[in-house]
Amino acid sequence: EDKVVQSPLSLVVHEGDTVTLNCSYEVTNFRSLLWYKQEKKAPTFLFMLTSSGIEKKSGRLSSILDKKELFSILNITATQTGDSAVYLCAVERSNDMRFGAGTRLTVKP
Amino acid sequence: DAGITQSPRHKVTETGTPVTLRCHQTENHRYMYWYRQDPGHGLRLIHYSYGVKDTDKGEVSDGYSVSRSKTEDFLLTLESATSSQTSVYFCAISDQGPGQSNEQFFGPGTRLTVL
């Protein structure tokens, strides 16, 4: 059965720390992997990755995909309290999108 | 937020009653989706639409039906609500379909409680 597994499920850090969130997957007909940030309401798009080894970067956030080992990581450097959220990984297949359960990140002042 | 609204935003209903949730978009995107989000499960696809009157089932479609009579509106109906359908429901839109490597934009969500 296809699955998307995120780890850790939750994480508490202090401002300024660097964090790495993990997403591993086993799916058929892989097309792309996406990361979303969800605060109190709707998930908002962060990155889409389709090729191995090419880092996507936006400010303090970056992400990379390994299609051979079937995982992706999301890095956040110099964390801020505004980074507190649930981070969702989603894998797009040929006919739908499968989401992981999410990692809840809490950044303390 | 990309021009997506959901109504109602909160609803409490009783087991056995019919419930309809509405998603409205102003982006003229072809594809629309309904997801449910439950603790420990992330987001799971219920149904999606690839055009007016064109819909298909997702991962957790049992107990739900959908309709799309206009590009901008996608309705989700629970014919006879059960407590297991208590959840947060999200609508999403995209201008290309599943498998086309495109991002989906999400609405604000509807919190449904079935007593």
Side-chain angles (χ1 to χ4, degrees), chain B residues 52-100:
Chain B
V52 173
K53 297 193 189 313
D54 293 322
T55 65
D56 207 347
K57 295 180 180 180
E59 183 186 359
V60 290
S61 59
D62 287 349
Y64 301 95
S65 62
V66 290
S67 65
R68 191 165 177 205
S69 59
K70 298 186 290 185
T71 299
E72 56 266 36
D73 290 326
F74 192 32
L75 304 180
L76 176 71
T77 297
L78 292 64
E79 300 289 349
S80 178
T82 67
S83 58
S84 65
Q85 293 175 310
T86 293
S87 187
V88 180
Y89 291 85
F90 285 98
C91 174
I93 64 173
S94 64
D95 63 0
Q96 296 190 56
Q100 302 299 312

Side-chain angles (χ1 to χ4, degrees), chain B residues 13-18 78-83 114-115:
Chain B
T13 191
E14 293 187 350
T15 297
T17 59
L78 292 64
E79 300 289 349
S80 178
T82 67
S83 58
V114 183
L115 301 175

Side-chain angles (χ1 to χ4, degrees), chain A residues 5 15 20 36 43 50 54 59 71 76 80 106:
Chain A
V5 179
E15 274 192 316
T20 298
Y36 287 84
T50 55
I54 299 175
F71 76 92
I76 309 174
Q80 302 171 357
T106 302

Side-chain angles (χ1 to χ4, degrees), chain B residues 15-27:
Chain B
T15 297
T17 59
V19 176
T20 296
L21 309 183
R22 180 181 183 237
C23 177
H24 179 77
Q25 59 144 331
T26 57
E27 304 296 319

